[in-house]
Amino acid sequence: MNQVGKVIEVLEDHRAQVLMRKHSACGECGACQYGQENMNLKIIAMNQVNAKEGDTVEVNLETQNVLGAAFIAYVIPLVALLVGVIGTSFILPKTGFTGNVEVYSIVVGFILTIIAFGFIKLNENSFKKQDKYVPVISKVVENEK
C-alpha cells in the first residue's frame, strides 16, 4: 500500500513525521464526521532513505501488516462482543437464571469489548515498537528546493 506525503519533521531513531493526504473516497462515507474539511493525516514513518523536512516522499506499509493491524483493532473487539453476548445467552439459562437474559448478555458483551479495547490500548506502545506496523518511507519523490 503506497501513499505520497510530505515530511514535516525529522525525528530521532530514523523516523519522520509525514503529512499524508487521505484518499478522496475517505471523506465521502461520513463515518468519522471529518468529511472533506480535514483530509490531512499526520503519521510517524521509518525514514530509511534519510528524507529531509519538506521532501515529498512515498510511504509504504505492507498489505499483510495493514490487515494485521486491522485485525487487532476491529476483529478482536468484535469477537469479544460476540463471545460475551452469545456465551452469556447460553450460560445464564443453564444456571437457572430467570431474569432478562438478553439485557445481561448485551451488558457482558459490551464489558468484554471494553476490556478488549483496553488491552489493545495498554499494548499500543509494544505494537508501535514492532516495525512491521510502522509505515516506511520507501523513496523521496521530490526534494525541497
Side-chain angles (χ1 to χ4, degrees):
M1 185 168 114
N2 293 338
Q3 296 274 3
V4 176
K6 187 171 196 142
V7 176
I8 55 175
E9 183 180 359
V10 177
L11 305 171
E12 299 175 356
D13 297 332
H14 300 288
R15 294 178 188 252
Q17 188 172 38
V18 181
L19 184 65
M20 306 291 292
R21 180 107 173 119
K22 292 180 188 174
H23 192 277
S24 60
C26 182
E28 295 174 7
C29 80
C32 68
Q33 302 300 317
Y34 282 116
Q36 294 288 344
E37 306 87 56
N38 190 3
M39 293 297 290
N40 293 323
L41 174 69
K42 292 179 185 176
I43 64 162
I44 304 294
M46 297 297 295
N47 188 4
Q48 296 179 340
V49 296
N50 294 321
K52 307 292 182 228
E53 195 170 309
D55 289 351
T56 302
V57 295
E58 185 175 283
V59 178
N60 184 24
L61 185 59
E62 294 295 324
T63 303
Q64 68 187 33
N65 296 338
V66 172
L67 293 175
F71 179 84
I72 291 169
Y74 298 112
V75 176
I76 290 175
L78 177 63
V79 169
L81 175 69
L82 293 174
V83 166
V85 170
I86 296 170
T88 306
S89 67
F90 281 113
I91 291 171
L92 282 182
K94 292 185 188 291
T95 63
F97 183 77
T98 59
N100 193 341
V101 174
E102 292 82 10
V103 172
Y104 283 100
S105 297
I106 291 170
V107 169
V108 170
F110 281 134
I111 290 170
L112 289 180
T113 303
I114 291 168
I115 290 170
F117 277 123
F119 175 78
I120 292 168
K121 185 67 176 167
L122 286 173
N123 291 298
E124 183 177 10
N125 287 334
S126 68
F127 293 134
K128 286 181 181 179
K129 289 178 185 175
Q130 296 179 25
D131 289 341
K132 69 179 187 176
Y133 295 119
V134 178
V136 176
I137 298 173
S138 54
K139 68 179 177 180
V140 176
V141 177
E142 183 180 327
N143 288 333
E144 181 184 41
K145 296 177 181 159

